Amino acid sequence: EVFIAGAFAALMQHDYSKLDGPLGDIFIQSIRDRWSRELSDASVEEIAEYMTVYDTDQMVGVMNVIKGKMFERMVELHENEDGDEWVAALHDDESYPGSDVVFTNLETGEIVEVSLKAVDDPSIIETALRRYPDIPILTTSEMEGPFVDMDRISTTDISNDDLSANADKMFEELMTVTSASAGEAETMLGVGAGTGAAGFIQLWPFVAAYSRGHI
């Protein structure tokens, strides 16, 4: 639940070793995808430098943008690794209207374009239905209830909560747990965060346990 915020902190701390692994790869590729004009071929170091243009008030929004793309990448990866006759390919063009991914049946040649929505707000799904009534939607598990009777809406086992922890709440709880000052909080979220962000990353498991009432 806290991966994106922790990964972003590791990126800004230049602690790139913490981004090694499959989820880290998806995280970095998602940034390259969303900022394709500026970062399509950028190194991790160049991505970290580019992210310094955003101030602390913008970082939650930036992480939500990354979250949406990670959802798309995870759907693509899941479909291509599940061993059935279907494969998935995301559109290269981020501005492609209506759909995000194309599913192809390798046996029949059938092609289905699908819109992916990592949301917990039903109105976003409703807007997409009105704007693109012929394109089916694959969304996060929270939307199973509101649209359970609609054939054109399918849900995954991936939840919006798992993709995007409430960053504001987590930051606030982290400050409470560590008794950090406001100045240290600013440092943790800023550029070149030093020991503040290092502690921020290391303490995430305890923050997650704290937020769930386990400690």
Side-chain angles (χ1 to χ4, degrees), residues 3-14 27 31 35 47-68 163-169 171 184-194 197 200 204:
F3 174 80
I4 292 175
F8 197 87
L11 179 69
M12 302 310 292
Q13 165 64 17
H14 308 297
F27 172 78
I31 295 176
W35 285 267
I47 290 172
E49 177 63 25
Y50 182 84
M51 288 295 158
T52 64
V53 303
Y54 297 103
D55 61 30
T56 56
D57 293 332
Q58 295 171 311
M59 283 188 177
V60 172
V62 168
M63 286 189 286
N64 281 332
V65 169
I66 298 170
K67 174 210 71 174
L163 287 164
S164 178
N166 187 322
D168 287 331
K169 178 182 177 182
F171 291 145
E184 287 170 328
E186 183 74 11
T187 300
M188 288 182 184
L189 293 174
V191 180
F200 170 73
W204 266 121

Side-chain angles (χ1 to χ4, degrees), residues 34-193:
R34 280 292 188 240
W35 285 267
S36 57
R37 184 176 301 175
E38 303 90 350
L39 301 174
S40 60
D41 299 316
S43 66
V44 177
E45 293 80 3
E46 289 169 335
I47 290 172
E49 177 63 25
Y50 182 84
M51 288 295 158
T52 64
V53 303
Y54 297 103
D55 61 30
T56 56
D57 293 332
Q58 295 171 311
M59 283 188 177
V60 172
V62 168
M63 286 189 286
N64 281 332
V65 169
I66 298 170
K67 174 210 71 174
K69 192 62 186 184
M70 283 194 72
F71 173 64
E72 295 176 10
R73 283 287 176 190
M74 291 168 72
V75 167
E76 180 186 46
L77 179 64
H78 174 75
E79 183 55 59
N80 292 336
E81 296 291 336
D82 64 3
D84 66 10
E85 68 275 17
W86 288 90
V87 295
L90 294 172
H91 293 302
D92 292 331
D93 183 359
E94 286 289 307
S95 62
Y96 190 93
S99 66
D100 300 294
V101 63
V102 177
F103 291 92
T104 303
N105 189 305
L106 298 177
E107 295 182 0
T108 67
E110 181 183 2
I111 295 175
V112 180
E113 292 193 28
V114 175
S115 174
L116 302 176
K117 301 293 183 188
V119 299
D120 57 7
D121 182 355
S123 68
I124 296 175
I125 304 295
E126 293 166 359
T127 298
L129 287 171
R130 289 194 297 269
R131 189 171 182 184
Y132 300 104
D134 298 325
I135 296 179
I137 295 172
L138 182 63
T139 186
T140 35
S141 57
E142 288 89 348
M143 294 297 100
E144 183 174 10
F147 301 100
V148 67
D149 296 324
M150 295 193 66
D151 292 337
R152 287 181 45 237
I153 308 295
S154 300
T155 58
T156 70
D157 292 333
I158 305 169
S159 76
N160 187 67
D161 285 343
D162 287 342
L163 287 164
S164 178
N166 187 322
D168 287 331
K169 178 182 177 182
M170 284 299 196
F171 291 145
E172 180 181 349
E173 288 176 347
L174 179 65
M175 298 306 100
T176 301
V177 172
T178 62
S179 300
S181 68
E184 287 170 328
E186 183 74 11
T187 300
M188 288 182 184
L189 293 174
V191 180

Side-chain angles (χ1 to χ4, degrees), residues 5-24:
F8 197 87
L11 179 69
M12 302 310 292
Q13 165 64 17
H14 308 297
D15 192 356
Y16 307 128
S17 65
K18 287 188 169 64
L19 300 176
D20 291 341
L23 274 180

